[in-house]
Every structure is written in structure tokens, then in C-alpha cells.
Amino acid sequence: MQQQRQKPRATLADRVYHSLFSRISSGDYPANQKLPPEKQLSQEFDVSRPVLRAALERLRSEGLIYSRQGAGNFVRAPQQEAPLGFARVETIADIQRCYEFRLTIEPDAARLAAQRRNAAALAEMEEALKLLSAATGSHIHREDADFAFHLAVTRASNNQYFEASMRALRQHIHVGMKMHGQSLMSDGPKGLEEVLAEHNAIYEAIRDRDGDKARDVMREHIVNSRDRLFGGSLIDLSM
């Protein structure tokens, strides 16, 4: 009987990398900001300097940070994702179109994430969920943490085209998430708690390697977000 291949566990460097990546993606470390000193980061993550430097080198190789001799490490400003050619959001109809497009990619990305994720990918989602949970407890919505969670799901699919699409749509999705968050906060804590529960359901399905459920709850979440924003009354986009 053929033995099932053991999946490699996330290393300490992987965990540090994903934590720092989440902070950069969510905007906690904005573009051109200097990262905390290596000594401080080593103490925060309770890892050795070599482990921390391995994580920093990975961020550097992916173009997320850069170094200045004698000054430290800095967050690199994101490049415009022009190759995919998405136009700017100019109308409320564009936000509806963005939701339509997300429904064609994110549910399948979640399904693949459930099949392919590893411990480091789960840790990245958990970091974003912690930020969302803390914000919900304070009766606010953090669209940066919201986007970081959805980006982490596409990264967990191990398909760079899903991730590239999300990155290219960052500003478009941000507009919709911001408007959605404002509508949630105006309705009191119940709406924020529902959104957090939806994100937790997505995470749990991916954690449990239930691809069909991950696809379905991701689709349900995006549809719910769209309907909460539009009040269930969509714009007729017929030509």
C-alpha cells in the first residue's frame, strides 16, 4: 500500500514571512516606511536573527521590501498592475461589475486553496482574521485587513494568476470594500459580526480541506457583500 506523502510543515522563517507579508498587504507597514529594527522583530517573533533574515530575504526577492545600507529595510511602493489593463472605478456600476468579476475567480480560488494550502498559508489568513476580529470588536471595518484575507486565499491556491488578478484589482476592490464597510458601520454591530462570521466560515472550510464548501461559502460571502451594499437592488447593465 502506497504511503501518503507527508506535506512539509511551515518553517519559522515561513511564519515570519507570512506575518510580515500580511502587515505589508494590509497597510500596517505602508509604502516607503522603514520596518522595525531586526533586533526588535527577532524579539517580537521569538526567532533568531538568521531565521528573521531568511524571511526578510524572501520579501526582498519578491520585491516587497528594499534595503538601504546602514539605514535598514523599507517597504517598496507597489507597482501599478498595468498589464491586465483594468480601468479605474468611476461609477457605482463599476463596483457592481467588480463584484461580478470577483464571483468568477474567488470561489474557485478558495476551492483550490482548500486542496493546496499549507500551514504557512493558514497562518497568513489567521493574521488577517485577527485584524478583522479586533476591528469588529471596536465596531469598525478594516478594508485593508479584509483585502489581505482575500489575497491570502488566492495565494493559498498556489496559482499565480488568481493572485495577480486580485493584486491588479486592489484599488477597485478597496473602493467596494470601503463603501461596504461604511454601510455596515451605519447599521450597528450586527452587520460587522455577520461579515466576520462569513470570513471565519471561509477559513474553516479551507483549514478542513473541504474544497466544495470553501467555494460555496466564498461565493455566498461575495454575493452577501454585494447585496448588503446595493440593498438587493442591482443596476441593469444591459447594453
Side-chain angles (χ1 to χ4, degrees):
M1 184 175 180
Q2 188 177 9
Q3 289 186 336
Q4 188 174 10
R5 187 178 62 180
Q6 292 286 328
K7 291 185 178 293
R9 292 187 176 184
T11 65
L12 287 174
D14 287 334
R15 294 183 182 277
V16 174
Y17 161 82
H18 283 291
S19 293
L20 292 174
F21 177 90
S22 179
R23 294 178 188 182
I24 293 170
S25 297
S26 68
D28 283 352
Y29 292 158
N32 298 315
Q33 177 174 305
K34 182 180 178 180
L35 295 184
E38 289 188 7
K39 182 178 180 180
Q40 180 179 331
L41 288 173
S42 295
Q43 292 173 344
E44 177 184 350
F45 292 113
D46 193 23
V47 297
S48 65
R49 288 285 188 92
V51 168
L52 174 67
R53 286 170 181 163
L56 292 173
E57 179 56 34
R58 183 174 172 187
L59 291 168
R60 196 175 296 111
S61 68
E62 293 182 0
L64 296 171
I65 64 173
Y66 63 95
S67 301
R68 292 179 186 166
Q69 188 171 7
N73 298 297
F74 295 80
V75 177
R76 187 181 297 280
Q79 296 180 345
Q80 295 296 320
E81 304 286 352
L84 291 182
F86 292 119
R88 292 187 306 170
V89 172
E90 295 182 345
T91 66
I92 192 70
D94 288 340
I95 295 175
Q96 181 175 315
R97 292 184 179 100
C98 185
Y99 274 109
E100 287 177 349
F101 186 71
R102 290 178 64 191
L103 282 168
T104 70
I105 60 173
E106 290 194 63
D108 276 335
R111 176 179 59 82
L112 291 174
Q115 297 170 0
R116 300 172 179 175
R117 60 82 177 159
N118 59 14
L122 287 178
E124 187 177 341
M125 292 178 223
E126 289 163 4
E127 284 288 326
L129 282 175
K130 287 178 184 176
L131 295 175
L132 280 173
S133 180
T136 299
S138 299
H139 306 301
I140 60 174
H141 179 260
R142 284 191 57 170
E143 56 271 8
D144 55 350
D146 197 341
F147 181 81
F149 176 83
H150 285 265
L151 182 63
V153 171
T154 61
R155 285 172 61 82
S157 74
N158 198 27
N159 183 322
Q160 69 269 32
Y161 297 105
F162 285 122
E163 182 183 353
S165 295
M166 287 294 288
R167 288 186 180 279
L169 285 168
R170 179 191 295 268
Q171 296 304 320
H172 307 69
I173 294 174
H174 179 88
V175 172
M177 285 182 170
K178 189 172 185 64
M179 293 180 66
H180 179 226
Q182 289 171 342
S183 69
L184 289 172
M185 288 186 288
S186 66
D187 291 337
K190 183 179 178 181
L192 291 168
E193 291 167 0
E194 287 177 354
V195 171
L196 179 61
E198 290 172 8
H199 283 89
N200 279 320
I202 295 166
Y203 166 79
E204 289 166 4
I206 293 173
R207 179 198 62 196
D208 296 343
R209 297 194 183 279
D210 190 336
D212 289 342
K213 185 174 182 180
R215 176 197 60 210
D216 293 344
V217 292
M218 176 64 86
R219 174 175 290 279
E220 182 180 10
H221 165 61
I222 297 173
V223 168
N224 287 346
S225 297
R226 180 198 65 190
D227 290 349
R228 281 187 289 258
L229 178 58
F230 285 87
S233 180
L234 298 179
I235 299 169
D236 183 358
L237 297 178
S238 301
M239 297 180 69

